[in-house]
Amino acid sequence: MLGHETTPVTAGAAGRDEVFQVEGHGIDPIPDSERHGGAKDLFWLWFGSNLTFTYVINGALAVSFGLSFWQAAGVVVLGGLSFFAISAAGLSGVRTGTATLVISRAAFGVRGNWPAGLLNWIVSIGYTIVNTVVGTLALEAFLADLGWSGGPLPRALALAVTLALTFTVALWGHATVQWAERWMAYVLAAGFAALLAFVLPGADTAAPAAAPGASGWSLALVVMLAGPFSYVPMPADYTRYLPRTTSLRALTWSGGLGGLVSSVALGIAGVAAATQADMTDAVAGTEGLLPGWFQPLFLALVLGGSVTNSIITLYSSSLNLQVLGIPWSRARAIVISAAVTAAGSLGALFLADFTTSLLSFLSLLIIVFAPWGGVFLADMVLRRCTYDSAALHAGEHGAYWYRAGWHPAGLVALLAGMLFAALTCDSELWTGPLVAPLGGADLSLLGAVVSAAVHVLLARRTVRPRAAG
């Protein structure tokens, strides 16, 4: 399974990438004749997909860690700026015409890419579950406003509707995903702008009685950067159809600006709300700050934002499964991800406290994504983002087979970064042994720096840019 490319190219793969048509391509390279679109499309993709209530929750969490309004707002902006790096990583998709987790074979080896790919699939599904649960709770609250509350049935129906909206768009594929993100962004942007106008004027901008310690600052940074870092395995998935002439500058500015604007606006809304209301239940807390006539619209915004974010993570997860060797088309593989998302959402909604689970999940997320992203981005820079595209799919016959399918430099770097992140992580589920000596600071974000540095040190003499194509 791991020695050669197993993903079939369906008969429909030769067709055009069209809206409301099931996409035929999976992780197979997109031919130049089928490339289309421009960098401006990435603005709407990252803008729309990040108009999600999760950022409101993240902003509120920053205040709960002891930060003032302005301190928390600054952390929100730092998190938003990281989207420029995420967007720049999409150049690898332009150069190769394939998905990010295929390209990462160059960093880890064909077999070595498998465990990292599995971890990334698990965490991406986790993020899809988070957004699905948020949307479900919003729709359940809307049903309660209509007079239908009590018992498990309204919540179960709300979950079914949220999953159906997400699955349908993701199943159709790339063109429909981009179309939906753009048009939903128009509506959601107007609605969330109104939300910000209602919440921001009442914000308490005074400094807290006690200054936040190192723990508060570090936890806030981890939460804010967890969202952007979760996209590191995805950017090429949405640039692989762009023409090869698309420039790095255009990619970086279009996608980065889209993610920055939406994540910062909603994060600051969460910061403002947390200075005025109890945000233990973030949906209910924010709803209480809004005029009665706007509350049903607010719940619709929460649902819509959750769906837009879940669409791209669910779509990418189907490509991820192909990378892991599932011998199905992308459209069939997505059923596996949808089923796991449904099962996880059921557990989160009916068996666990959601707020606690969310905080624990976001805190641990960085242990995987930061080091993996550090290796991938460092490897991309070392290669100057040029790859042997055919070798990425050639298995043991290609240049990225390395030692029996494993690239020691990438894997050692990944493990070094994950170890550092685990030792310095402070979360509900795990507190690393170095947290206390560091004064309570969570330095797990620096796992990306550690893994990148180790990879450069080990691979700089052997990794060389290859001719693209």
Side-chain angles (χ1 to χ4, degrees):
M1 178 180 294
L2 296 175
H4 58 281
E5 186 67 55
T6 60
T7 304
V9 180
T10 65
R16 296 173 60 190
D17 182 36
E18 296 181 341
V19 178
F20 304 132
Q21 298 292 324
V22 176
E23 178 189 6
H25 283 295
I27 62 173
D28 52 297
I30 307 301
D32 287 346
S33 61
E34 296 181 37
R35 304 284 192 99
H36 61 88
K40 63 181 183 297
D41 296 330
L42 295 179
F43 174 86
W44 295 108
L45 176 80
W46 292 114
F47 178 73
S49 63
N50 286 286
L51 286 170
T52 171
F53 192 74
T54 302
Y55 288 106
V56 177
I57 299 175
N58 292 351
L61 286 172
V63 175
S64 73
F65 296 144
L67 273 64
S68 70
F69 174 88
W70 294 112
Q71 291 168 337
V75 174
V76 168
V77 172
L78 285 176
L81 289 172
S82 65
F83 276 102
F84 286 97
I86 303 301
S87 187
L91 183 63
S92 59
V94 174
R95 294 280 178 82
T96 62
T98 192
T100 304
L101 283 169
V102 174
I103 301 166
S104 62
R105 289 170 175 170
F108 300 102
V110 175
R111 285 177 170 164
N113 192 56
W114 199 94
L118 178 62
L119 286 173
N120 280 315
W121 179 79
I122 292 171
V123 181
S124 67
I125 288 296
Y127 232 100
T128 307
I129 291 171
V130 167
N131 282 290
T132 299
V133 170
V134 171
T136 298
L137 293 176
L139 184 54
E140 181 187 25
F142 180 77
L143 294 175
D145 290 343
L146 295 178
W148 188 17
S149 61
L153 189 57
R155 178 169 289 189
L157 176 62
L159 174 60
V161 170
T162 304
L163 287 170
L165 291 172
T166 304
F167 174 75
T168 302
V169 175
L171 175 67
W172 270 322
H174 177 266
T176 309
V177 167
Q178 289 203 316
W179 180 90
E181 294 292 350
R182 180 168 189 150
W183 287 99
M184 291 180 73
Y186 294 151
V187 177
L188 292 173
F192 278 119
L195 170 68
L196 193 61
F198 288 128
V199 173
L200 194 56
D204 180 4
T205 59
S215 176
W217 281 105
S218 59
L219 285 172
L221 280 169
V222 167
V223 169
M224 291 303 170
L225 288 168
F229 261 94
S230 71
Y231 292 122
V232 174
M234 300 181 193
D237 302 0
Y238 303 100
T239 59
R240 70 195 205 280
Y241 277 94
L242 293 178
R244 291 182 187 272
T245 54
T246 307
S247 71
L248 173 61
R249 180 187 295 272
L251 282 176
T252 302
W253 277 101
S254 295
L257 191 61
L260 172 72
V261 172
S262 51
S263 65
V264 168
L266 269 65
I268 290 178
V271 171
T275 65
Q276 306 170 66
D278 179 5
M279 295 289 282
T280 304
D281 182 340
V283 173
T286 306
E287 187 179 14
L289 298 173
L290 303 173
W293 65 267
F294 189 75
Q295 290 178 5
L297 295 176
F298 163 69
L299 295 174
L301 289 173
V302 176
L303 172 61
S306 299
V307 169
T308 60
N309 192 264
S310 294
I311 285 170
I312 69 166
T313 52
L314 189 61
Y315 173 80
S316 287
S317 73
S318 64
L319 299 175
N320 196 335
L321 286 174
Q322 288 190 313
V323 175
L324 293 176
I326 299 296
W328 291 356
S329 68
R330 181 206 60 82
R332 290 179 63 193
I334 205 171
V335 175
I336 298 175
S337 294
V340 176
T341 297
S345 300
L346 284 168
L349 287 164
F350 294 98
L351 301 177
D353 177 76
F354 175 61
T355 302
T356 300
S357 299
L358 173 65
L359 178 58
S360 301
F361 176 73
L362 291 176
S363 298
L364 287 176
L365 187 69
I366 213 73
I367 294 178
V368 176
F369 275 115
W372 189 93
V375 176
F376 177 76
L377 295 175
D379 190 78
M380 191 174 72
V381 172
L382 282 175
R383 298 176 191 278
R384 299 177 188 173
C385 204
T386 57
Y387 300 87
D388 183 339
S389 298
L392 290 171
H393 300 269
E396 60 187 301
H397 304 293
Y400 304 122
W401 187 246
Y402 300 113
R403 297 182 183 177
W406 304 82
H407 189 202
L411 294 170
V412 169
L414 175 64
L415 292 174
M418 291 182 66
L419 177 62
F420 180 88
L423 291 173
T424 59
C425 177
D426 183 15
S427 73
E428 293 285 333
L429 299 179
W430 167 259
T431 299
L434 297 183
V435 172
L438 291 169
D442 184 332
L443 301 183
S444 54
L445 281 170
L446 295 180
V449 178
V450 171
S451 63
V454 172
H455 185 66
V456 170
L457 181 65
L458 297 178
R460 61 182 177 178
R461 294 183 179 179
T462 57
V463 169
R464 293 289 185 270
R466 292 179 177 270

